Amino acid sequence: MPYTFKVKTLGCPVNQYEGRALELAMEEAGFVPTGDIADIYIINSCVVTQAAAAEARRLASQAKKENPRSLVVLAGCYPQVYWEEIKEKLPQVDIIIGTTGRSRLPAIIARQLAETHREQKAIIVEHGPGEEFEEFPLTGNYGRTRPVIKIQEGCDEACTYCIVRKARGLPRSLAPDKVVAQVKHFVTMGCREIVLAGTHLGAYGKDLPGWNLARLIKELDALPHSFRLRLSYIEPMDLCLEFLQTLARARKVCPFLYLPLQSGSDRILQRMGRRYTSAEFARLVQKARELIPGLSIWTDLIVGFPGETEDDHQQTMKLVEELALSHLHVFPYSPRPGTEAAGFPDQVAPDVKKRRVQELRALDEKLSLRFHRQLVGKRVQVLVEKVEENLGEGFSEHYVKVRFRAGNPELKGSLVPVQVLAAAPRGVEGCLIKSEGASNY
């Protein structure tokens, strides 16, 4: 009887892609997915915050409690960086594997299952110069209406708070023809939106002579297929006029940018190791909006970075409000062992962090509502993700959640035109423009 398995993925779009690739690879190797108690549990982990690492440990412990005879795998960024901690804290984990070699995981699991006496295995390969992009193609159905394609991995920035460079290595890219093949695969399967993701997406092509992200977007935009293209987060230091002009001219690219600001204080940005100032970020936002009408801009903010004063915090509040950003992802600073910032002496008190997080999240509600109100009376294209009790729900090209009276459950997975009638902080409501029906974009 074949072994059953579950995969639980934490973290970013890159992780989501890899988690789904793991599921498909396991199925192709003869293992059977299940929603019940499993023989094999794979936790595809994140390490960006302490909370993410703690959640990975919790899931691993829970899996062994759910089925004491199961084989538990802890994979991804967390073990890549802190595998020794895992060995010490989680002896019940059977396989510890980092961010390299996971394409071989089904074979590794099969060998472990065949052993009479299982001993914990740690498979950690340190990243280094000249490392190749490990292909992990999605050959089946992604399982969601909006598939993610990992086109880039690794980072060569030196942000003082970030452990990702150690977790993912230096920048490397998926060959352009393979990106195109993956896009065609999903479009052929009926997907109407594709998300391009990377650890440092703007670094795409640094290892491929003659290529960069702008050129790749032009190639994908020229495809005859009907779909829209969305970019996951991209660093401000990677934006240039050529890239913004490429986005503005592209017919398939959504009017959406996810630009991590992290702080509105130049002093804190310098301490973070970020290679831009608040004024430079503001100019990028202004230029992007000039070129791309109706552009939605999301950002990340780290609150309570070591040394952040009340004045630094107020500078952040002032800047994001002046820029009228569409949505704020707000995170309290989380020290990561092995990073420079973890050793900074002037850590901010937890209660101060909590208050500042609350203030920025309240500002997020205000800014999100302001952006959503600008859509009232306008027509948007909605990728329908679910239809329940005649109500449709999905995301517009601006990545705004839209709810509308659908009527037809077969609209799921389609792009449909919707007239926006009302706005709220977390989304908008509208009505289907029935005379046009589903769109091919």
Side-chain angles (χ1 to χ4, degrees), residues 307-319:
E308 183 188 70
T309 65
E310 189 61 28
D311 182 59
D312 295 320
H313 171 63
Q314 292 303 323
Q315 287 180 46
T316 300
M317 295 275 291
K318 183 173 183 287
L319 179 63

Side-chain angles (χ1 to χ4, degrees), residues 50-214:
Q50 289 179 359
E55 177 64 3
R57 292 195 299 271
R58 186 191 71 79
L59 289 169
S61 297
Q62 178 182 297
K64 209 67 169 183
K65 288 176 183 176
E66 190 173 286
N67 181 3
R69 297 173 62 83
S70 66
L71 186 143
V72 177
V73 180
L74 187 47
C77 292
Y78 178 30
Q80 180 69 36
V81 181
Y82 301 121
W83 67 272
E84 291 174 323
E85 173 184 284
I86 295 167
K87 282 180 70 71
E88 178 184 342
K89 292 185 176 181
L90 294 171
Q92 65 269 48
V93 170
D94 299 285
I95 298 174
I96 303 168
I97 186 168
T99 53
T100 298
R102 283 172 297 168
S103 58
R104 304 192 308 273
L105 193 53
I108 294 169
I109 289 171
R111 286 196 299 270
Q112 186 84 331
L113 288 169
E115 293 181 3
T116 306
H117 301 289
R118 294 180 194 167
E119 293 185 0
Q120 188 181 65
K121 285 184 171 59
I123 305 165
I124 308 296
V125 179
E126 294 294 329
H127 295 293
E131 184 177 3
E132 294 184 357
F133 187 96
E134 183 180 14
E135 289 188 47
F136 215 166
L138 285 173
T139 55
N141 184 8
Y142 186 77
R144 298 182 186 177
T145 55
R146 194 163 10 98
V148 175
I149 299 177
K150 185 180 82 168
I151 67 168
Q152 187 276 339
E153 185 163 23
C155 180
D156 56 2
E157 294 294 323
C159 299
T160 59
Y161 56 84
C162 188
I163 200 72
V164 168
R165 181 171 175 172
K166 187 172 182 181
R168 291 285 180 170
L170 294 171
R172 49 208 188 276
S173 311
L174 180 62
D177 61 327
K178 292 179 178 177
V179 177
V180 172
Q182 283 271 284
V183 170
K184 287 181 176 178
H185 166 73
F186 286 123
V187 173
T188 300
M189 296 189 76
C191 299
R192 289 294 170 259
E193 179 176 310
I194 311 293
V195 181
L196 300 183
T199 312
H200 189 169
L201 185 61
Y204 179 85
K206 287 183 80 168
D207 55 332
L208 303 175
W211 283 91
N212 58 22
L213 187 56

Side-chain angles (χ1 to χ4, degrees), residues 317-422:
M317 295 275 291
K318 183 173 183 287
L319 179 63
V320 296
E321 182 158 21
E322 287 177 348
L323 293 178
L325 301 178
S326 310
H327 180 54
L328 316 177
H329 271 151
V330 182
F331 306 91
Y333 169 70
S334 178
R336 306 310 294 131
T339 63
E340 186 179 351
F344 288 174
D346 41 0
Q347 301 288 323
V348 176
D351 60 327
V352 175
K353 284 187 197 177
K354 183 177 180 180
R355 173 181 58 80
R356 291 176 184 172
V357 165
Q358 289 172 342
E359 290 176 0
L360 275 165
R361 286 179 177 164
L363 179 57
D364 169 53
E365 290 228 346
K366 176 182 173 181
L367 294 176
S368 295
L369 179 58
R370 182 188 300 175
F371 182 77
H372 297 163
R373 281 175 172 163
Q374 294 173 11
L375 298 176
V376 174
K378 295 182 179 177
R379 161 186 161 147
V380 296
Q381 290 287 337
V382 179
L383 178 65
V384 184
E385 301 207 350
K386 66 178 181 179
V387 179
E388 294 178 356
E389 297 180 355
N390 293 327
L391 288 176
E393 183 177 292
F395 286 89
S396 74
E397 59 269 46
H398 320 89
Y399 208 41
V400 171
K401 183 174 284 187
V402 181
R403 294 183 179 87
F404 62 96
R405 183 71 61 184
N408 182 1
E410 294 181 3
L411 287 179
K412 183 178 177 180
S414 301
L415 276 168
V416 299
V418 171
Q419 186 85 10
V420 178
L421 302 176

